[in-house]
C-alpha cells in the first residue's frame, strides 16, 4: 500500500497542527483513506478522569472538501458517564471515546483541521 | 493528438482581441496546464493575456513579433505557476485552412528554446488563429517538435478548429433520420466523441443505451456495483439471470451497447472514481456524464472537469417528503458544468459531511449513527431517471452539433408533478477552489493538479451497499459567530401556492430565472 500523495491543503493542516501543538503532535498512520493524527496530553476538565488525554482523528484524503469528523479521545473517560455525543467505541484497534461533534456548516475555503480541533477541545473542556 | 483547450468565455475574449474588423494581426499569450500521454499533449488554458501594441510590435524578421519584455514577464509567470506558455497570434486571412508561415516557424526557432528555459515547462507552443481554423506547433524540453492538431473550445457548444477542414464522411443509413437534423458532419462528430459515464445503474444505463443509439464512437462506463434484484426495475437490459449471477452493471451495459452497435469502442471499468487510477480515466474523455449520486463522485468529476476543461453534466432525481412521509416534491435535476461557468462546488452541491460519511468504514458509519437512525433508502424510478438522462443527453447533443443556446449551460430542475422546468440563475464563486481565479485554484492545471482521490490500485471493488443511508444526527459543535452565520435556515414546508421560484431557491439555493 503506497502512502497518499499529500495535497497542499493537507500539508498545510499538518504544519498548522504541529505549530499549535509543538512536541505533542504525531502522525500515527497514513493510508488511502487519509492520515490519522494524534495530539497528546490535551487538557480536559475535572469531569474527565484523568483530566488529560490524547485526541485522535482522521484527516480524510479529500480534506478540506470533506469535514473532519468524528474525534476519538483515549486515556480519559467522562467521570459522570457518557453524554449523547460521547460513546465508547473501538476505532482502528484502539479503545476510545468517540466525540461526535460535527461541523454542519463546514466550508472548505474557510474551515481547517486546526480550527476544528480547537472547537472540539473547547467543547470537551466545557463538559 | 495534440490539442489546445480553452473555455468558451476565454475564447470569446481571444477572438475579440485577435480577429478585429481591421484585419490586422494581434497577439496574446496563454498560460496552460499540460496533460501529456502516449496519445499526445493537451494544453488547457488557465490564463489569457492579450498583448497591447507595444508587446506585439512590427517585427525585425516578419510582420510582427512578440516583444522580449512580454515574453520575459509571462515566461517568469509561467515558471512561478508551473504552466506552459503558448504564444497566439492572428491569421485574419485564414478561413477554413491555416498554416504557420515560414516567419512563424523561424520565430519559434529563435525564441522557444529560451522560453523552455525561462518557464522550465515541459512544453511551449505557438499558435496562429484564423477565422475558422487553427495552426500551431508544440516544442518539448526534450527537443521534439510536433504539430498542433486542433483547438477545442469548451462553451455551451463544443467547437473544434483544425488546420484544414476535416474531410467528409460517408453517410450511414443507420443514422439517416437523425442526420436529417444535424448532417453527416454532426454524425461524424458524434462518432469521434469519447463519453465517460459514471454510474451504470438506473440513470447511467439509460445514458449509455442512448449514447449507443446516437452513434457515439467511444463510451467508457464506470461502476463497481453488481445487478441486484431491486435494480431490475430500472437498469436497461438487465435480467433476472443477471441479478442471480450478480453480473457487474458495466457488463450489462456492454451487452446492451454491443446489441445496438458492435462497432462502438465500449470500455467497461469495474471501479470507483474515488480511486485515483479510475478517476484518471475520466481525463481522457471529451465529455463526462455523472449519474451516480454520491458526494465523492460529484467532487471528483467536478475536479476533473475544471482541471482538464472537460464538459460535465450531472443528473439526479429526488423525491422530497415531509415528516410523516407525505410527498412534498418530485423533481429531476440536470446540471451542466462548464469551465469557469459555475461548478458544483460554486453551487454548494458537494456536501462536506456526506464526503466524510462516504469515506468512513461500515463500522465507523455504524458508530457515527449512534442515535440509531434507521436511515432512508431514496426512491428510484425509471421514468424520473429517464427524464434526467434525456436532459443531459440533449445538452451533449446540442453542444456537439453546435445548436446549444447559452442558457442550455444553466442548471435546470423539472418539477415532475407540475411538468414545469425551472432554469436556475448561474452561480459562480471567483474564489472557488476548483474553478476560481486565485493562484491556489486547480482550474486548467491539468496534470499539475492533485485530484481529490484515494491513491490505490484501480478496479478495487468497494462496499456496494448504499453509503448514504445512515442518516447520522450528531449534535452540532458550539459554533463561532462566522460559522454560525453560514448555517442554512431551516427548510420551511412549501405548498403549491408558495411559488416555484421560492421552491427553486430552497432546493438549490438559487433564484429561478425562467420557466
Amino acid at each position: 500500500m503506497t502512502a497518499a500523495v499529500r495535497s497542499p491543503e493537507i500539508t498545510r493542516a499538518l504544519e498548522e497542527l504541529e505549530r499549535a501543538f509543538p512536541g505533542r503532535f504525531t502522525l500515527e498512520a497514513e493510508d488511502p483513506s487519509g492520515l490519522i493524527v494524534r495530539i497528546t496530553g490535551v487538557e480536559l476538565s475535572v469531569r474527565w478522569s484523568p483530566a488529560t488525554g490524547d485526541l485522535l482523528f482522521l484527516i480524510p484524503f479529500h480534506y478540506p472538501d470533506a469535514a473532519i469528523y468524528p474525534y476519538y479521545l483515549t486515556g480519559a473517560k467522562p467521570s459522570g458517564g457518557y453524554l449523547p455525543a460521547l460513546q465508547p467505541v473501538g476505532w482502528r484497534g484502539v479503545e476510545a471515546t468517540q466525540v461526535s461533534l460535527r461541523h454542519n456548516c463546514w466550508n472548505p475555503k474557510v474551515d481547517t483541521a486546526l480550527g476544528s480541533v480547537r472547537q472540539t477541545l473547547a467543547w470537551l473542556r466545557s463538559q | 493528438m495534440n490539442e489546445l483547450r480553452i473555455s468558451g468565455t476565454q475564447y470569446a475574449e481571444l477572438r475579440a482581441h485577435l480577429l478585429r474588423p481591421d484585419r490586422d494581426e494581434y497577439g496574446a499569450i496563454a498560460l496552460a496546464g499540460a496533460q501529456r500521454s502516449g496519445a499526445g499533449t493537451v494544453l488547457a488554458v488557465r490564463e489569457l493575456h492579450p498583448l497591447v501594441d507595444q508587446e506585439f510590435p512590427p517585427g525585425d524578421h516578419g510582420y510582427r513579433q512578440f516583444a522580449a519584455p512580454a515574453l520575459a514577464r509571462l515566461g517568469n509567470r509561467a515558471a512561478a505557476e508551473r504552466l506552459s506558455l503558448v504564444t497566439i497570434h492572428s491569421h485574419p486571412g485564414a478561413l477554413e485552412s491555416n498554416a504557420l508561415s515560414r516567419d512563424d516557424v523561424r520565430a519559434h526557432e529563435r525564441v522557444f528554446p529560451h522560453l523552455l528555459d525561462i518557464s522550465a515547462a515541459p512544453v511551449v507552443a505557438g499558435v496562429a488563429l484564423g477565422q475558422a481554423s487553427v495552426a500551431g506547433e508544440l516544442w518539448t524540453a526534450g527537443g521534439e517538435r510536433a504539430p498542433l492538431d486542433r483547438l477545442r473550445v469548451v462553451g455551451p457548444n463544443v467547437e473544434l478548429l483544425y488546420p484544414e477542414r476535416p474531410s467528409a464522411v460517408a453517410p450511414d443509413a443507420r443514422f439517416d433520420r437523425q442526420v436529417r437534423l444535424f448532417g453527416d458532419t454532426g454524425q461524424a462528430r458524434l462518432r469521434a466523441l469519447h463519453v465517460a459515464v459514471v454510474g451504470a445503474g438506473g440513470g447511467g444505463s439509460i445514458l449509455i443505451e442512448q449514447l449507443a443509439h446516437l452513434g457515439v464512437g467511444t463510451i467508457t462506463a464506470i461502476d463497481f456495483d453488481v445487478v441486484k434484484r431491486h435494480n431490475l426495475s430500472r437498469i436497461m437490459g438487465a435480467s433476472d439471470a443477471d441479478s442471480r449471477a450478480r453480473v457487474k452493471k458495466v457488463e450489462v451495459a456492454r451487452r446492451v451497447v454491443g446489441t445496438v452497435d458492435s462497432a462502438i469502442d465500449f470500455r467497461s471499468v469495474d471501479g470507483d472514481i474515488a480511486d485515483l487510477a479510475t478517476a484518471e480515466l475520466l481525463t481522457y474523455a471529451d465529455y463526462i456524464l455523472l449519474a451516480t449520486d454520491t458526494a465523492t463522485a460529484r467532487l471528483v468529476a467536478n475536479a476533473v472537469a475544471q482541471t482538464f476543461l472537460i464538459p460535465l453534466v450531472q443528473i439526479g432525481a429526488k423525491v422530497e417528503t415531509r415528516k410523516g412521509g407525505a410527498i412534498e416534491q418530485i423533481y429531476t435535476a440536470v446540471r451542466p458544468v462548464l469551465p469557469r461557468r459555475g461548478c458544483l462546488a460554486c453551487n454548494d452541491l458537494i456536501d462536506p459531511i456526506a464526503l466524510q460519511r462516504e469515506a468512513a468504514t461500515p463500522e465507523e458509519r455504524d458508530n457515527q449513527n449512534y442515535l440509531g437512525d434507521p436511515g432512508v433508502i431514496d426512491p428510484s424510478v425509471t421514468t424520473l431517471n429517464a427524464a434526467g438522462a434525456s436532459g443531459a443527453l440533449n445538452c451533449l447533443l446540442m453542444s456537439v452539433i453546435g445548436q446549444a443556446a447559452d442558457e442550455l449551460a444553466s442548471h435546470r430542475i423539472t418539477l415532475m408533478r407540475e411538468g414545469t422546468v425551472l432554469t436556475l440563475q448561474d452561480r459562480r464563486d471567483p474564489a472557488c477552489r476548483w474553478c476560481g481565479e486565485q493562484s491556489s485554484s486547480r482550474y486548467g492545471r491539468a496534470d499539475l493538479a492533485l485530484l481529490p482521490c484515494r491513491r490505490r490500485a484501480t478496479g478495487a471493488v468497494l462496499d456496494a451497499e448504499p453509503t448514504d443511508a445512515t442518516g447520522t444526527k450528531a449534535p452540532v459543535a458550539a459554533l463561532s459567530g462566522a460559522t454560525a452565520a453560514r448555517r442554512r435556515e431551516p427548510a420551511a414546508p412549501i405548498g403549491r401556492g408558495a411559488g416555484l421560484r421560492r421552491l427553486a431557491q430552497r432546493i438549490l439555493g438559487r433564484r429561478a430565472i425562467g420557466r
Side-chain angles (χ1 to χ4, degrees), chain B residues 130-439:
Chain B
Q131 302 291 344
S133 58
V134 71
E137 63 173 347
L138 280 64
W139 283 49
T140 69
E144 293 167 356
R145 297 166 67 163
L148 178 74
D149 297 300
R150 68 184 177 195
L151 168 69
R152 182 192 298 261
V153 181
V154 185
N157 290 298
V158 173
E159 253 182 278
L160 294 170
L161 278 72
Y162 298 89
E164 298 288 339
R165 187 178 185 164
S167 52
V169 292
D172 183 338
R174 168 197 290 266
F175 303 115
D176 177 68
R177 294 297 292 274
Q178 63 190 44
V179 161
R180 291 167 192 269
L181 168 64
F182 44 73
D184 289 327
T185 303
Q187 190 63 56
R189 285 187 178 180
L190 286 170
R191 206 54 169 177
L193 203 63
H194 177 186
V195 181
V197 182
V198 184
S205 66
I206 297 170
L207 291 169
I208 293 164
E209 185 181 41
Q210 291 195 20
L211 287 169
H213 280 295
L214 279 172
V216 166
T218 306
I219 301 170
T220 294
I222 302 172
D223 200 311
F224 57 80
D225 206 355
V226 297
V227 177
K228 298 174 196 131
R229 188 158 174 74
H230 65 77
N231 300 139
L232 295 178
S233 62
R234 58 191 186 278
I235 295 183
M236 298 299 109
S239 68
D240 201 31
D242 292 326
S243 72
R244 285 197 301 273
R246 299 179 76 79
V247 171
K248 289 283 179 183
K249 290 177 181 175
V250 286
E251 290 310 312
V252 173
R254 173 188 295 283
R255 194 170 65 215
V256 169
V257 169
T259 305
V260 174
D261 184 349
S262 60
I264 290 172
D265 178 3
F266 182 83
R267 305 167 186 181
S268 60
V269 180
D270 171 16
D272 183 340
I273 63 167
D275 294 313
L276 180 64
T278 306
E280 284 177 339
L281 299 173
L282 296 179
T283 69
Y284 299 102
D286 300 318
Y287 220 103
I288 302 169
L289 300 176
L290 179 59
T292 176
D293 200 19
T294 66
T296 308
R298 286 186 186 186
L299 173 72
V300 174
N302 186 67
V304 170
Q306 297 301 329
T307 53
F308 292 88
L309 277 55
I310 300 171
L312 159 75
V313 186
Q314 185 256 327
I315 62 169
K318 182 88 177 168
V319 178
E320 288 200 340
T321 54
R322 293 193 188 97
K323 206 169 183 179
I327 291 175
E328 183 179 340
Q329 191 53 257
I330 306 168
Y331 65 92
T332 62
V334 177
R335 301 181 179 115
V337 176
L338 293 176
R340 290 253 161 98
R341 178 78 189 234
C343 71
L344 296 178
C346 293
N347 287 281
D348 292 333
L349 291 167
I350 302 171
D351 181 358
I353 305 300
L355 285 174
Q356 181 278 326
R357 196 165 54 226
E358 289 166 11
T361 65
E363 184 186 8
E364 287 168 346
R365 282 199 292 273
D366 281 348
N367 285 336
Q368 290 169 30
N369 185 25
Y370 61 93
L371 293 180
D373 190 314
V376 175
I377 296 175
D378 289 330
S380 183
V381 180
T382 190
T383 52
L384 301 182
N385 296 336
S390 283
L393 286 161
N394 282 317
C395 274
L396 178 149
L397 179 63
M398 294 303 135
S399 158
V400 170
I401 67 173
Q403 292 297 321
D406 193 62
E407 52 266 40
L408 194 65
S410 298
H411 295 188
R412 292 183 298 288
I413 59 173
T414 303
L415 306 177
M416 302 310 289
R417 293 194 298 191
E418 295 82 358
T420 305
V421 179
L422 302 176
T423 302
L424 303 177
Q425 190 175 42
D426 292 340
R427 192 163 72 182
R428 180 168 173 254
D429 177 1
C432 174
R433 296 177 59 249
W434 300 106
C435 68
E437 287 156 23
Q438 78 284 15
S439 182

Side-chain angles (χ1 to χ4, degrees), chain B residues 453-471:
Chain B
C453 299
R454 289 185 293 252
R455 268 74 180 158
R456 70 176 175 199
T458 188
V461 178
L462 306 180
D463 174 20
E465 296 304 315
T467 57
D468 55 351
T470 51

